[in-house]
Amino acid sequence: NNKKHMIKLHYFIGIAAFMAVAAQAAVVYQSDFTGSTLASAGMVQGGSSSGGSWAVDGTKLQGVGGGNARSHVFTSGAWQSTDGFTLDVTFFVSSANNTRHEFAIVESTVNPSGASGFLGGQQAGYGLGFASAGSAVGNGLQFNTGSSTTLLSSDQGNTTHAASETMSITVTGSTWSYSLNDAAATTGLFTFDTSKSYKFIAYAHRNGNSNFQNITLTAIPEPGTYALLAGLTGLVYVMLRRRR
């Protein structure tokens, strides 16, 4: 009898441990670009013009091309989370001749050309992101409805060019927040469609002046996961009490 109780106890402890891991925010995409190709980093070259492109050189996702070179790059995968996402990036934008630099999470069906940026540009698609230089709407966190772009906030100020910087953006069905270089987060309320699937996208005009050293996209876990975890934890507690 005691043996049966112990087997059950271990079983429930195992389930609780599994749920504890599952309840943690799930990283759906992460790369520090240690490979040598876009494919090795799970990235795809998007539309381009004037010789713009992107490449992976073992340490970063590097924009390629001088002069008026411009292009998009995005993840080959897309993900859906009913509770939203957190996007963390480490990026660099040169102060020299850079006219536009944007990154965002965008609806998976969007595949823009290289002629204009995602945020406030002609190649609009549903999503949310940050423009660090030259956006038609303004620098800062921006929301694109698929037909128009709204500047949600420029409270974090401008990026510091010619230096690596970090950005963290979180979006849920009803809120947004972002932080530049670990500053206290700027937050706000709005409605965001979490039923869509999203991918990471970046755009640069004068590509050779931009790069990304790290990109992490994290799906926020559903509240129901925490409720199930709490229930299982309680069940384990009861089993322990009975065993004693």
Side-chain angles (χ1 to χ4, degrees), residues 7-24 224-240:
I7 290 174
K8 288 181 179 179
L9 181 59
H10 290 157
Y11 174 73
F12 285 117
I13 289 174
I15 292 177
F18 171 79
M19 291 306 300
V21 173
Q24 296 176 4
T225 303
Y226 291 106
L228 182 57
L229 176 61
L232 285 170
T233 302
L235 184 58
V236 170
Y237 175 74
V238 170
M239 292 293 291
L240 282 169

Side-chain angles (χ1 to χ4, degrees), residues 1-243:
N1 212 15
N2 286 342
K3 184 176 181 181
K4 288 182 179 179
H5 281 304
M6 288 301 296
I7 290 174
K8 288 181 179 179
L9 181 59
H10 290 157
Y11 174 73
F12 285 117
I13 289 174
I15 292 177
F18 171 79
M19 291 306 300
V21 173
Q24 296 176 4
V27 174
V28 294
Y29 175 81
Q30 196 282 325
S31 183
D32 59 4
F33 307 106
T34 56
S36 58
T37 65
L38 287 177
S40 69
M43 305 295 289
V44 176
Q45 173 68 57
S48 63
S49 63
S50 303
S53 64
W54 294 83
V56 172
D57 68 1
T59 61
K60 58 187 175 295
L61 175 65
Q62 177 67 53
V64 179
N68 203 32
R70 60 185 83 177
S71 70
H72 295 81
V73 66
F74 46 83
T75 52
S76 54
W79 304 271
Q80 193 271 335
S81 172
T82 56
D83 289 298
F85 294 94
T86 294
L87 173 65
D88 295 292
V89 301
T90 303
F91 65 99
F92 173 95
V93 181
S94 172
S95 60
N97 298 320
N98 198 81
T99 57
R100 197 152 182 172
H101 180 259
E102 306 168 353
F103 51 86
I105 62 167
V106 62
E107 187 176 1
S108 59
T109 57
V110 173
N111 186 10
S113 76
S116 62
F118 161 73
L119 297 168
Q122 297 175 359
Q123 306 297 326
Y126 193 94
L128 179 144
F130 185 78
S132 64
S135 170
V137 179
N139 298 348
L141 188 72
Q142 302 183 29
F143 169 53
N144 198 319
T145 66
S147 58
S148 64
T149 304
T150 301
L151 178 64
L152 295 175
S153 175
S154 58
D155 288 351
Q156 294 280 331
N158 294 325
T159 58
T160 302
H161 291 174
S164 292
E165 300 192 274
T166 59
M167 172 65 68
S168 181
I169 300 171
T170 296
V171 58
T172 72
S174 58
T175 65
W176 56 262
S177 67
Y178 77 114
S179 172
L180 175 63
N181 298 326
D182 299 319
T186 300
T187 63
L189 303 176
F190 85 136
T191 301
F192 187 77
D193 189 350
T194 57
S195 69
K196 298 177 182 291
S197 294
Y198 292 93
K199 61 187 176 184
F200 171 85
I201 189 171
Y203 171 81
H205 184 176
R206 305 193 186 280
N207 271 58
N209 299 318
S210 302
N211 68 59
F212 292 87
Q213 292 113 59
N214 287 280
I215 300 172
T216 302
L217 183 62
T218 306
I220 300 172
E222 299 182 8
T225 303
Y226 291 106
L228 182 57
L229 176 61
L232 285 170
T233 302
L235 184 58
V236 170
Y237 175 74
V238 170
M239 292 293 291
L240 282 169
R241 289 290 300 271
R242 286 182 177 178
R243 178 72 184 90

